[in-house]
Amino acid sequence: MYVAVPLKKTWEVDLVKPLRSFIAETYGGGSGPGSSPGDGDDDHSAALTEFNRLRNNAIAKSVDKHDSALEVLYRYYDQLAAVEGKFPISENQIRISFKWQDAFDKESLFSGKRTLAIASSSYERVCLLFNIAALQSQVGQSQNLTSDDGLKTAAKLFQLSSGIYAHLQPIVLSSVQADPTPDLHPDTLSALSALMLAQGQDCFARKAMNDKMKPAVVAKLSYQCSEFYAESLKLLQLETLKSLWPKDWITSVAGKQAAFHGIAEYYQSLVSKEAKDFGEEIARLRHSKDLLGAAETKGGTTFSFQDVQKKVARGLQEAEKDNDLIYHSRIPEISALPSIGKAAVAKTLPFTPPLSSQFKDLFEKVVPLAVHQAMTSFGNRKSEIVNMEIGRLREATQLLNSILVSLNLPAALEDLSGTQLPKSVREKSAKMREMGGYDSIARLMNDLPSLLQRNKEILDESEKLLDEEAQSDEQLRNQFKERWTRTPSKQLTEPIRSELTKYRTIIENAIRADGVVREKFNVHREGMELLSKPDSEIEQALPSTGATGSLENLPAVGELRNLMREVGNIKQERDELETQLKDADCNDMTVKFMMALSRDGAINEDALSAEQLDVIFSPLRENVSANIRRQEGALEKIQSVNLEFSEAKAKDQSGVSRDEKLKSLASAYDIFMELKGNVEEGTTFYNNLTQLLVKFQCKVSDFCFARRTEKDELMKDLSASIARQSTPPHPATPAYQQGPAAAQRTPAMAPASQAAYNPPGNYPTGIHPPPNPAMMPGYYSYQQTAGYSAESQQPAPYPTAYNTMPMPAAYNPYMNWGASPPQYQPPTGYGQPQARPQYPPYQPPQYPQQYPPQQYPQQYPPQYPQYPGSYQPR
């Protein structure tokens, strides 16, 4: 009774592996900004498996015409829409290729399949919505249409289906971003939406007839139904679409359009009868009869309104009889009658996700990708501020240490005796030995090159994979030209190669930084080795000097010691500031970004981040600046007071070399502490970079694997397309095979030792020339002899005598294989024809099918024409 849209066919894909890789690479197991606890790979294994199962169920259950099958498709669609903002499935990000076949593809041997495969979640969503609407039409068609509940359910499903097709029509081209298959063309979707709406109105009209509602209501519902069918028929009959539909669709819709118009006229005739307008009643009944007859003719086997047709015939007969006997009303022309009203009850219901009432996001712990990216950007901004402020503090510390080293402070204040190891040197030496001393930093320095080399090898291998894939794609593109339709590698790998360049730049910067670190290490190697030894050895290595105890009572000494304590306080405050900068709390930014995305549909990360970072770091920046100002004041006082101390100390020249040695040790300690942090950070950096590069390599490998799979699919389709191509026309038939006269000429076999065979004519590529006639058994070729001219080749009457024909020595189809083959004797002259021995009945040889069969004489032995001269048989 109703038409149902066929389903698009698809094929299974693996969603688990690429999505698991993306989660591990992007969200980093929950440790990165924008990740929440539970973002780890293991925590999502069950969700990924369930997501994959949802798709497989949607493929398998879609063949069931039941509400439960619709629920399966609803759940998969809702989940797909939910993850679209979290997992960007596209050509250049998560490459999962979804292949769908045209729903109306008749799939013949010569035309093949109409399929389209795109790595896009929006394409998958569009195709899935098409199937949801198609399945809704199929479930609606399968309802019990004799019951009220069945008609209500069918009407709702047809209206929902119409709404989905109407929703797809304006968005399909932007979602697919390629030439869609014919079933997804906007015109096709418009036609399907109109058809489903007409069938929804059809259900309401039938229900009104079943419920015996007032004739005026039924007439309006039926007339509107006819109008809806007329609109859908106009769209179905578009020149670009009418060959797409199943063969009975247009006839069925045309029949229903006329039938419901006839039903509307019938029920309007009942209204006229109630109004005592018998002439109008008869006119409408006649028109109804004509319309229902036309509907029966157009609809053919799909016509199902025989009951109404009988009512119309019976009503018309009674009305005409009563009018002839009683009323004698004038019967107006149908064009003069007032139009029947319309009542559009069926609506194109709006598409309102989520479709399933039981939907629950399997990946609710994963923040949307936009939020994650905003958090990543926010984290980068925060890191820039933290690094900048910590850099200011460390630069100030390096300046402070360098000035104190140049002044030999505080060691000069502690070495007034000139014989004992200064307290600050002992403390620095003890701290160095506690941290592993020279050996520990030397070991770390030696490990850096191997860590660097490992990262370079991973990056080089990734680049090699990309280059090989691009080379393969370019080679096939040059071979197949415009038939190689997939996206060029250069376009797809642009973001990947940009990331590769970024990693390459990071490694190059790291190499330069390692060079600076190694240079400092080599310069201060001797001092670090000495500080790593016991105090007694350090004391022996220092030059001795005379006692300077008289300086102990100088006011400058006491003031310098107070300033050294101030410097210690500044350094301690600096360590606290650095800790505060690193531990600044920014956890509420995820909530703020989520609220902005929900409220505005987008995130203005620049404004939100700048505002929040200013609130967090403005007080800390001010504290850093104040700490640096305190240092500047303390250094100014230290340099002034130390001048007085140095003048008093300069009177003892023996202490100069000792001071220089102490300065060297102090500088070596500062460099050790600096390099220790640098090398440890470098080791951590290289190890973390290795993890990132391994993930990057996995992403490149997955990309190359997906491209290889896509290449194999495209090669398979191209091979099938080439195999389906029609064979070019066969070559022109040689002149000796044309007409029965050719078979009547005297043949002469070419020598079996013929070295080369050059068939006449040019043969197109892929078509082999005919085989060498000299090598074909039973094949007669013509040999021109003396006096044999072109004119003599014209047909001639058969004489009673004949000349025998030489046979090749290589093969004789008439030869007895138990006997030795006869030897070929070339003709030596002309003689009288001799009688030819009798051979077994002749069987014509088999030739290739592309050549027309050679005509042979009906008699055997054949009669040959006489030519001048004699012929000597062999």
Side-chain angles (χ1 to χ4, degrees), residues 607-621:
L608 291 174
S609 296
E611 179 183 356
Q612 186 67 15
L613 291 172
D614 187 62
V615 172
I616 295 172
F617 289 103
S618 287
L620 294 175
R621 282 173 170 166

Side-chain angles (χ1 to χ4, degrees), residues 194 198 223-237 253-254 256-258:
Y223 193 65
Q224 181 65 70
C225 185
S226 176
E227 291 289 301
F228 280 157
Y229 274 122
E231 178 64 23
S232 66
L233 181 62
K234 182 174 69 174
L235 295 174
L236 290 171
Q237 288 180 319
V253 173
K256 287 184 179 180
Q257 185 271 329

Side-chain angles (χ1 to χ4, degrees), residues 725-732 759-771 848-851:
Q725 288 180 356
S726 59
T727 306
H730 61 75
N762 296 322
Y763 294 89
T765 303
I767 300 301
H768 298 290
Q849 293 182 1
Q850 64 266 32
Y851 298 102

Side-chain angles (χ1 to χ4, degrees), residues 275-352:
K276 307 297 184 182
D277 192 343
F278 303 109
E280 179 178 336
E281 176 193 5
I282 293 173
R284 291 193 181 278
L285 284 172
R286 288 176 178 176
H287 192 205
S288 175
K289 181 181 179 181
D290 293 341
L291 288 170
L292 288 171
E296 185 176 15
T297 302
K298 294 178 180 179
T301 57
T302 63
F303 182 75
S304 59
F305 300 94
Q306 289 83 359
D307 292 344
V308 179
Q309 200 173 25
K310 292 177 181 178
K311 290 181 181 179
V312 170
R314 187 166 53 251
L316 177 60
Q317 182 181 6
E318 294 175 356
E320 288 178 338
K321 179 180 178 181
D322 290 345
N323 190 58
D324 291 341
L325 297 176
I326 304 173
Y327 306 116
H328 304 289
S329 297
R330 186 183 67 84
I331 301 173
E333 294 293 331
I334 192 66
S335 58
L337 298 178
S339 176
I340 303 173
K342 293 182 284 189
V345 179
K347 308 291 183 183
T348 298
L349 297 181
F351 173 70
T352 55

Side-chain angles (χ1 to χ4, degrees), residues 397-413:
T397 301
Q398 289 178 0
L399 176 63
L400 176 61
N401 289 339
S402 63
I403 293 176
L404 292 179
V405 167
S406 66
L407 300 177
N408 196 26
L409 293 175
L413 297 175

Side-chain angles (χ1 to χ4, degrees), residues 43 259 281 428 443 542 639 704 770 797 864:
D43 298 306
E281 176 193 5
K428 291 175 180 178
R443 184 173 59 254
L542 290 175
Q639 289 174 322
C704 293
Y864 295 91

Side-chain angles (χ1 to χ4, degrees), residues 415-430:
D415 193 37
L416 295 178
S417 64
T419 57
Q420 295 181 351
L421 190 64
K423 178 182 177 183
S424 62
V425 176
R426 288 199 304 271
E427 291 175 350
K428 291 175 180 178
S429 177

Side-chain angles (χ1 to χ4, degrees), residues 3 176 319 325 496 511 786:
V3 300
V176 175
L325 297 176
I496 299 179
I511 292 173

